[in-house]
Amino acid sequence: MITPYKLPLILGNELVGVITSIGKNVKEFKVGDRVYAMCEKAFAEYVAINHKYIAKVPEYLKDDEAACVPLASLTFLQAIKLMNAKNENSIFISGASGSF
């Protein structure tokens, strides 16, 4: 496996939500920003996460769509890296990692 998980494991690692507070040194985000991320405790109501691991959700995505992006994107990037893909390659990944 690419990511070795340790048991016991809490299911769910993708999240989408609104920032309710930020650290004093965080400049890229503000309270109220809608963000998504991967996090070990994504089933929690509130999550504390390093700002380096979140991204703003594009306006056109609904929450249920946005919550599927982090893992599928990571799977795609890992596949490209493992395949040593080049710009001129054509690659088809069906369903990425099965999100949504």
Side-chain angles (χ1 to χ4, degrees):
M1 287 180 56
I2 294 171
T3 305
Y5 293 109
K6 295 180 181 162
L7 298 175
L9 177 68
I10 297 172
L11 297 178
N13 61 4
E14 295 171 289
L15 63 93
V16 62
V18 177
I19 295 176
T20 59
S21 65
I22 58 172
K24 63 182 178 183
N25 295 324
V26 176
K27 307 294 182 218
E28 301 89 347
F29 301 98
K30 63 184 183 309
V31 171
D33 283 346
R34 197 166 69 114
V35 297
Y36 48 21
M38 287 184 61
C39 176
E40 289 181 6
K41 295 177 173 62
F43 281 173
E45 187 173 350
Y46 289 92
V47 173
I49 188 168
N50 188 312
H51 72 283
K52 295 176 184 177
Y53 303 118
I54 63 175
K56 290 182 182 177
V57 176
E59 295 273 333
Y60 61 85
L61 289 178
K62 297 182 284 186
D63 283 352
D64 58 345
E65 296 168 331
C68 298
V69 171
L71 182 59
S73 299
L74 176 62
T75 302
F76 174 74
L77 291 172
Q78 289 172 329
I80 287 179
K81 184 176 178 180
L82 286 171
M83 294 167 38
N84 197 24
K86 305 288 186 243
N87 284 341
E88 62 274 1
N89 295 141
S90 294
I91 300 170
F92 174 73
I93 299 177
S94 176
S97 59
S99 288
F100 205 76

